[in-house]
Amino acid sequence: MSSTAQESLLGAWRPLAEKALKGQSLDTLDTETASGIRLGPLFAAADPSYLGRPTLGPWQVVARADAADAAEQARTDLENGVAALALVFAGAPSAFGRGLAIGSLGELDAALGGVMLDIVPLRLEAGHGALAAAAMVAALADKRGTRPAALHAGIDPVGTFAFTGIAPTWSDPSALADAVAGVKAIGAPGTALLADGRIAAEAGAAPATELAFALHSLAAMLRLADAGGLAAADALAATSMALSANENQFATIAKFRAARRLHRLVADACGSDAPLVLHGETARRMLAYSDPQTNLLRLTIATFAAGVGGADSVSVLPFDAEASPFARRMARNIQSLLIEESHVGRLSDAGAGSGAVEAYTDALAEAAWTRFQLFESEGDAVASGKVAEMVASDRASAEKKLAAKDRVMIGVTIHPPTTATPVPPEPAASPLPTGTFAAGDFASLKAASADGSSLADLAIAPPADAATCPPLTPSRVAASFGG
């Protein structure tokens, strides 16, 4: 549509809108987002900027293995449409009180009993134990004589620091470069490092802050890797990103699209053309405690938005508090219905060319870049507390809007259940060691795993002078409403 035609349409629409508003200003139709972006009621058509999945086809469906019956979970999921597994270890930022209590090669082998590694891609989510988990997978690949179809090791020293408040002592430059080399030596395609924005989002960060935190993590790891002798371009190719997806459909679509645009800026600065490997997970923060069935609405919207926004892979959380078999089945089926019946994944970037989506993407990318620059000006924005400060501000603003009912949450702020569903206590699992290890390099950890050593026996407590920061603690939106 030409600009003249657009102006003609706008001119015809404006008096009709003003008449319907009965004298109120058109500004009353504007919306202010959680990131402080003001969105108007009408957008001009835009030239498409394609920011979706770089490969053809739908996103990869990922299921979490995160409980004592992990082998059964994995087999059930793989037999019912799941393409990849996320091994979520206890103590990881994404474990939420659950997680695999695995500390030895034998336990990992049992947890993957019946899983054929050569046809199943793996994601590792182990927080402080990421290096040890990756070393155990390397030892398991040697033991079985087969490597995973793909491996994303999830080593994230910056995010782990922000989550726990204690810096991982193995994240010095040489150790990080050594870890990348160790994961690469397994021979599976994938990535070694992770810039995980979910950690900030689950603590209450707005989309712009989540993106800025993920970029800050990415930049910090690139600097560490470069100082350890690994070229920034190689480190970038070995790094993936994870973002949360929530019930705000267009904010989620714009966030995932903006992530690719911002990653391209970093890649250009590194002289790399490596595409972003982008994983999405539905946000636990948006899930209600006491009316869990309404969570299915939020999960479906979030999954749709992540897929349309261009995620390469998506993991959907169970809708109830206990992660029941039925809730896990529904987590699979949401994705199966979107991909196989609704064909949502046929377009890699369905929002390209939409005036509203393109404008929202641009505005969110600009806001995130501004916050990223603020984090970078701090040097280490995690250690300085700037990240925690901004996340706390975002969370307070969101809770204020919810309390004033400027934001609606079905089953919580409106239509609450007459009888609240009992919420079982979340299980407590033993995490992997949180300090450094007596065998400090990847090869030594792999050898210790292969010899049958328990990683707990190799753990060394963090030194007294380890860097600390205010931790980013996950919280549910519904918690303030008696859930």
Side-chain angles (χ1 to χ4, degrees):
M1 182 184 296
S2 68
S3 58
T4 302
Q6 291 178 30
E7 290 173 3
S8 177
L9 269 178
L10 180 59
W13 174 85
R14 186 180 295 276
L16 294 174
E18 290 173 340
K19 181 179 179 181
L21 291 171
K22 298 180 180 180
Q24 295 184 71
S25 168
L26 287 178
D27 291 344
T28 59
L29 298 179
D30 288 358
T31 300
E32 184 173 346
T33 73
S35 299
I37 298 167
R38 200 158 188 86
L39 300 176
L42 194 66
F43 296 89
D47 292 330
S49 55
Y50 294 102
L51 297 167
R53 286 179 294 281
T55 55
L56 295 175
W59 63 91
Q60 188 178 66
V61 178
V62 180
R64 293 159 56 99
D66 61 359
D69 59 344
E72 182 179 347
Q73 285 183 334
R75 288 194 297 269
T76 300
D77 288 329
L78 292 169
E79 290 168 359
N80 289 279
V82 164
L85 294 176
L87 304 183
V88 183
F89 289 73
S94 58
F96 308 127
R98 300 178 62 82
L100 304 175
I102 289 176
S104 68
L105 177 59
E107 291 171 342
L108 178 63
D109 197 10
L112 290 173
V115 175
M116 300 173 66
L117 292 182
D118 57 333
I119 61 173
V120 179
L122 297 179
R123 295 186 57 85
L124 305 182
E125 303 194 11
H128 259 304
L131 192 66
M136 281 195 291
V137 170
L140 180 62
D142 286 352
K143 177 182 177 180
R144 293 192 180 183
T146 182
R147 65 187 184 185
L151 176 64
H152 297 287
I155 298 171
D156 179 18
V158 180
T160 299
F161 182 18
F163 175 71
T164 62
I166 303 173
T169 52
W170 55 266
S171 61
D172 62 84
S174 60
L176 195 67
D178 173 72
V180 172
V183 172
K184 184 176 181 180
I186 296 172
T191 58
L193 308 178
L194 175 67
D196 195 349
R198 297 172 299 175
I199 295 168
E202 291 292 354
T209 303
E210 180 186 358
L211 283 171
F213 173 69
L215 283 178
H216 183 57
S217 296
L218 175 62
M221 285 189 289
L222 293 181
R223 287 191 290 267
L224 274 172
D226 187 58
L230 180 65
D234 294 333
L236 186 73
T239 306
S240 61
M241 184 179 292
L243 298 174
S244 67
N246 67 19
E247 79 286 1
N248 192 327
Q249 176 177 306
F250 286 102
T252 298
I253 292 172
K255 179 171 65 177
F256 277 72
R257 298 181 82 248
R260 292 196 184 276
R261 176 165 291 166
L262 296 171
H263 180 270
R264 174 49 47 203
L265 293 177
V266 176
D268 287 345
C270 295
S272 170
D273 59 358
L276 173 61
V277 178
L278 182 58
H279 177 66
E281 182 173 75
T282 57
R284 175 182 179 265
R285 180 169 164 75
M286 70 178 178
L287 300 182
Y289 284 101
S290 58
D291 193 15
Q293 285 72 23
T294 60
N295 290 330
L296 290 168
L297 301 173
R298 288 181 277 273
L299 290 169
T300 301
I301 294 169
T303 308
F304 171 88
V308 169
D312 294 300
S313 58
V314 177
S315 179
V316 178
L317 298 180
F319 71 85
D320 61 14
E322 56 188 326
S324 65
F326 177 68
R328 290 181 60 86
R329 174 186 170 190
M330 292 302 293
R332 295 192 303 268
N333 287 350
I334 285 171
Q335 301 211 57
S336 296
L337 289 169
L338 288 172
I339 292 173
E340 303 297 340
E341 294 195 18
S342 300
H343 306 290
V344 172
R346 287 204 171 190
L347 295 178
S348 64
D349 188 5
S354 162
V357 172
E358 295 284 11
Y360 202 165
T361 301
D362 291 346
L364 186 55
E366 289 177 7
W369 190 259
T370 298
R371 297 184 190 195
F372 165 62
Q373 290 177 314
L374 177 61
F375 288 163
E376 289 291 289
S377 70
E378 293 281 324
D380 186 342
V382 174
S384 72
K386 178 57 70 175
V387 169
E389 176 187 329
M390 190 172 290
V391 170
S393 176
D394 288 348
R395 182 174 61 248
S397 177
E399 290 173 351
K400 182 179 179 181
K401 287 183 178 180
L402 202 62
K405 298 196 176 177
D406 290 337
R407 176 185 171 191
V408 169
M409 190 172 185
I410 298 174
V412 178
T413 61
I414 63 169
H415 309 308
T418 54
T419 303
T421 302
V423 180
E426 293 181 326
S430 300
L432 284 170
T434 58
T436 185
F437 298 97
D441 61 277
F442 191 91
S444 298
L445 281 171
K446 177 183 173 183
S449 296
D451 289 341
S453 298
S454 169
L455 293 174
D457 296 336
L458 300 173
I460 301 173
D465 60 350
T468 60
C469 72
L472 299 182
T473 304
S475 64
R476 293 206 197 203
V477 175
S480 301
F481 297 82

